[in-house]
Amino acid sequence: MSSVHQTTTRLGDRADEQQRLGPLAIHWLSGSATPPVSILDRAEFSLGRATEADFRLDASGVSRIHARLHRQGPIYAVHDLGSTNGSFVNGARVEHQGLSENDVLRFGAAVGLVTRLAPGATTVAEAREIAPGILFGPGLARELEQLERVAKSDLPVVVWGETGVGKERLAQAVHALSGLHGAFHGLNCAALPESLAEAELFGHRRGAFTGAEQPGLGHVRAAHGGTLLLDELSDLPLPIQAKLLRVLQEKSVIPLGETRPVPVEVRVVSACQTPLAELVAEKRLRPDLAARLNGLSIEVPPLRRRRVDISVLLGYFLSKYSGGRAPALEAEALEALLLYGWPGNVRELELVSRQMLVLHSHEPVLRLGHLPGELVPKARASNSKAPAPSAPDRREHDERAFARELRQNGGKIAPAAAAANISRQRAYRLLGQRSVAEFLSEFEAEPEPHEPSG
């Protein structure tokens, strides 16, 4: 590896990187938007209710020309154009704000999410239902693509990530895509009693130990011809790990109390909360077993890192638990759900969906006040960070900023408007019928700040 640290970016490198990563876009989740996925591929865009807006938002609370998006170096920024109801980024009202991937935008009742499209794509990937009840949002499109490539092979798979992210669902997807005729059999390794772990995992004959009144098939043989999920792999006792390794190598098990091996064919998918290398370093997993299981390792990102999935899964759960009669969702409520951290991930989202339906099933629209208590204070606090300025205050602020920049730019309107962070249209509205000289005469030149004396 070269030790030279390159600090100069060659011309074209940034464009090459954008092409490799795919373009940024706004995926509109609430309110009718044209187009529904707005690709940020030009220097400047206008958005609003007017037909002449580059991104048309046909939603309540949206002004005719509500805001503009413009490129500032490598990033895009949103600039509110004096709208009545304001522009919000991640729950806070803003006048001018840079944007990053995964940011939540709200203009009136239109809610959008800044997302990055796949290279060459012009829209967000579709949600996919691999099998009944096994639904994945576009945030896991890359992971599903990897799983599809290996599903029909016998390569073992490891899925890891925080609790509740959907590791078992991905394991079920592997099985559904594999075409195997055997069963999908999930084993929670944490629930195995250590004294009976060998018998429960590999089976036993009748009378093999006290209380064994009937022979047991065991979890491994229960998955014969299909897929065995080893959930919470790190909780498997170390002595049993050595025996499991032998079973995987020999493709046979010897039930407790028996002497003859029984052939078995299983596809193994392991699930854990940390990568296998960390489990090995912590001496919670044998390195030889880790090497055997680690065919393809996939991290399942937490829900807060794939906000694009929240509205998809929310809609699915609301429809599922309402019998297909899901209520509508207020824009502020959707915004709050997108901004919540979801420590319990998809499992928590499902529970919150059921909770809202049980408590507010009679309501045609789920509103911000209908959300569970731990979500509402965060949303209300973030929305109150920047109180909406009154229209006269906003106009005076823009006029003073525009006048200051006009003096700096020798009366040139376009550069003065850009420097004052207002659109050229608003600059001309501020001027009205006045000339630049008449406009400036109404605003005294602000004194230049001076350095305090030492």
Side-chain angles (χ1 to χ4, degrees):
M1 180 182 296
S2 172
S3 60
V4 176
H5 178 65
Q6 182 176 325
T7 58
T8 303
T9 302
R10 292 191 301 270
L11 293 176
D13 281 359
R14 184 172 294 144
D16 291 344
E17 182 182 5
Q18 290 294 99
Q19 187 175 9
R20 178 175 57 84
L21 293 175
L24 277 178
I26 301 176
H27 182 203
W28 299 103
L29 306 173
S30 174
S32 177
T34 307
V37 176
S38 303
I39 301 176
L40 305 183
D41 57 359
R42 300 207 314 264
E44 184 171 314
F45 304 88
S46 61
L47 56 87
R49 195 165 32 84
T51 55
E52 64 266 25
D54 296 312
F55 300 152
R56 187 164 183 259
L57 306 178
D58 187 11
S60 62
V62 178
S63 299
R64 290 190 73 258
I65 301 297
H66 195 110
R68 68 184 173 97
L69 300 169
H70 59 96
R71 189 162 48 215
Q72 292 183 326
I75 68 169
Y76 276 88
V78 61
H79 178 59
D80 186 80
L81 299 178
S83 64
T84 303
N85 295 303
S87 301
F88 292 80
V89 177
N90 294 332
R93 186 164 184 166
V94 300
E95 293 185 4
H96 187 83
Q97 178 68 47
L99 299 179
S100 301
E101 188 176 351
N102 223 28
D103 278 350
V104 178
L105 312 180
R106 180 166 63 82
F107 308 97
V111 177
L113 182 69
V114 181
T115 188
R116 190 172 293 281
L117 303 181
T122 58
T123 188
V124 176
E126 295 287 335
R128 293 185 58 191
E129 192 169 18
I130 301 298
I134 308 177
L135 178 79
F136 298 97
L140 290 179
R142 178 176 167 273
E143 287 75 11
L144 279 177
E145 182 183 349
Q146 289 180 299
L147 289 178
E148 282 185 298
R149 291 176 182 175
V150 303
K152 294 190 181 299
S153 71
D154 61 355
L155 196 68
V157 175
V158 177
V159 288
W160 64 275
E162 294 178 8
T163 182
V165 292
K167 298 187 290 292
E168 184 171 353
R169 287 287 185 268
L170 278 169
Q172 291 172 333
V174 173
H175 180 71
L177 294 167
S178 69
L180 294 174
H181 298 294
F184 173 85
H185 186 80
L187 165 63
N188 182 1
C189 298
L192 279 178
E194 191 164 356
S195 59
L196 297 175
E198 183 176 357
E200 291 205 14
L201 195 56
F202 308 123
H204 59 84
R205 68 171 178 80
R206 180 182 176 183
F209 53 89
T210 303
E213 298 178 359
Q214 298 293 333
L217 186 65
H219 293 291
V220 173
R221 282 194 291 170
H224 178 63
T227 302
L228 174 65
L229 169 63
L230 298 174
D231 198 9
E232 303 296 345
L233 175 67
S234 59
D235 289 315
L236 197 64
L238 287 171
I240 300 300
Q241 291 183 21
K243 295 181 179 181
L244 175 62
L245 175 63
R246 186 170 184 84
V247 166
L248 298 179
Q249 288 174 336
E250 302 293 334
K251 296 188 176 181
S252 64
V253 296
I254 301 178
L256 195 64
E258 300 280 2
T259 56
R260 299 178 63 182
V262 179
V264 66
E265 280 283 350
V266 293
R267 168 69 167 282
V268 178
V269 179
S270 307
C272 43
Q273 295 189 35
T274 55
L276 296 192
E278 289 187 23
L279 298 179
V280 171
E282 295 167 1
K283 302 189 183 305
R284 298 165 62 194
L285 183 67
R286 290 175 59 100
D288 47 4
L289 179 60
R292 169 65 62 172
L293 295 175
N294 198 19
L296 172 68
S297 181
I298 290 182
E299 178 189 7
V300 189
L303 206 51
R304 63 183 175 274
R305 280 172 42 198
R306 47 184 174 105
R307 285 174 171 162
V308 68
D309 285 353
I310 293 175
S311 61
V312 172
L313 296 172
L314 179 68
Y316 173 77
F317 292 138
L318 289 177
S319 179
K320 174 182 177 181
Y321 292 112
S322 66
R325 299 182 300 276
L329 195 65
E330 182 186 50
E332 288 83 352
L334 175 59
E335 178 188 47
L337 291 166
L338 291 168
L339 291 173
Y340 180 57
W342 300 107
N345 291 292
V346 179
R347 188 180 295 127
E348 184 181 7
L349 177 60
E350 182 174 10
L351 184 62
V352 166
S353 303
R354 294 173 57 194
Q355 186 178 351
M356 289 192 296
L357 287 172
V358 168
L359 296 176
H360 307 287
S361 58
H362 59 289
E363 300 282 355
V365 178
L366 293 175
R367 304 188 182 281
L368 184 62
H370 296 154
L371 303 186
E374 65 270 21
L375 277 72
V376 176
K378 290 180 174 60
R380 286 181 177 163
S382 64
N383 284 345
S384 65
K385 285 179 183 175
S390 66
D393 287 346
R394 179 58 184 271
R395 183 178 180 88
E396 182 180 356
H397 171 275
D398 285 355
E399 282 181 332
R400 290 192 176 279
F402 183 42
R404 183 173 60 250
E405 297 302 334
L406 276 172
R407 287 191 176 91
Q408 293 285 336
N409 286 282
K412 296 177 182 176
I413 294 174
N421 288 325
I422 63 174
S423 68
R424 277 174 290 179
Q425 295 92 329
R426 181 157 177 78
Y428 283 109
R429 286 199 298 270
L430 293 176
L431 284 172
Q433 301 300 316
R434 296 169 292 186
S435 67
V436 170
E438 289 171 335
F439 177 76
L440 289 177
S441 69
E442 297 180 19
F443 295 91
E444 294 182 6
E446 297 178 3
E448 292 293 329
H450 58 276
E451 296 294 329
S453 60

